[in-house]
Amino acid sequence: MKKMNRRQFGKSVAAAAATAYAGTAMQHLAFGQPEPMALRYPKGFLWGCATAAYQVEGGAQADGRGPSVWDTFSHTPGKTYHGETGDVADDSYHLYKEDIGLLKALGVSTYRMSISWSRVFPSGTTPLNPKGLDYYNRVIDELLANNITPYVTLFHWDLPQALPGGWRNRDTSKAFSDYAGFVAKKLSDRVQHFMTTNEFVCFTDLGYRYGQFAPGLRLGDAEANQVRHHGILAHGLGVQAIRANTPKETQVGLAENAVVYVPVMETKEHIEAAEKATREDNAPFLTALMEGKYIESYLQQVGANAPKVEPGDMEAIASPLDFVGLNIYTPTYVRADDSAKGYAVEPNPSSYPHMYSPWLTLGPECIYWGVRNVCDLWKPKGIYITENGTSSDDVLSPEGRVEDVDRVMYLRNHLTHLHRAVDEGYPVKGYFLWSLMDNFEWADGYSKRFGIHYVDFKTLKRTPKLSAEWYRNVIAQNRVE
Ligand code: GBH
């Protein structure tokens, strides 16, 4: 099995490889071997944790930071759980050394963090707020002093409030690339990996079409589709600006939550259906980046509401990437059928298992299929799992323990299935667990905890959960425990 790299053998043996894999794992059990060799990760595989600026930093008004759309939105009554805001969050703005201490204790080699655009440019464009940039210099220096490699996301939803029209305005895409190029230039002597944007659908559709995220608008289809276009254009212009301002070795990608289609069973027709669904249902976002066009099925679907595309846009959007980061949490099941589309999405039965957030249904094979569909369709140079994790109904015991066995179960299963992708030769280079610690979970406020460290939001005390201990072991052994 070790030698069986399915990329060498081609698509036709995929199902056979899957069976062989299962067989190998069972043999180990049968012979009672203490070390399940099949679940060892390759040397050099990167283990990390992820966070995002608005969710952990607090210091909302510290040292000249300007407001973002999430400050405004969370301060608007009725928008977030109990009106909670990121004003203080985990106060990483002041406690970053402690947080880097937590990373150190876990033994991670990398940390994925994001930059608050309005901390650096309070109005979204010049003038610069040097104190804002200094904060990131301090964080990065502290990470490097602890041998932890920073992976920097330039935009994780906290758009400067001052930018007129937000993502409705095409100028925002240009403002983003100016900001991205500037920050990358300042950091690139110490940071080699940049992600432009995090999860297009969340800052475009959820913010401007459905309204449950900032800025909370419910625009019609034409305008909302244009917002999507400005989002991916920002990414594309951002890639160009980062490349123009950094050394050749700098690696540029993004973090995207493509819808992950899992075939209802591993037969040729359903596997093909999953691939087709992946391409068609991610058409406004990842597919456009990978193919440099809006594919025919999307254009048909949006009809007269298609986004307006200016000359050069699609070339920018398709700028070559060094890696694709996938945020993977949950599956969508699909099967082949004889409709014109050729596939049908299976709704989750109401008894379907889910984690503590209602949207987070449990199906750990999604992490394998997420990687496989994207790689088989577009052959990216590298893949990172830029987020994976779960909320859990965590309770701090009087002895100061959090026994989050459900999170351990979730993570163990996902890493088991991710291992299959690695074993079959897909170019997965690293994994970032969401999240280092409990934090501001957007519209859910502090009611949903995703951390492997428990945060008491009154005292800001951090306590490692059982899952932190478990992850420390995974990293130390470089295998799924
Ligand atoms: C990621 O989004 C984010 O990158 C990260 O910031 C976040 O903390 C983490 O996951 C955990 O949620 O309100 O029912 O409409 C994951 C994808 C998309 C999941 C938006 C929640 C809202 C569901 N998210 N979705 S609903």
Side-chain angles (χ1 to χ4, degrees), residues 52 55 112 156-157 198-199 201-202 206 212-213 257 327 329 359 387 434 439-444 450:
Q55 296 182 269
R112 175 174 174 241
H156 199 123
W157 312 352
N198 183 75
E199 301 189 348
V201 74
C202 293
L206 292 184
Q212 69 264 50
F213 279 6
N257 62 331
N327 295 354
Y329 289 87
W359 57 269
E387 290 181 24
W434 185 274
N439 57 48
F440 178 73
E441 176 57 13
W442 307 111
D444 288 334
F450 275 80

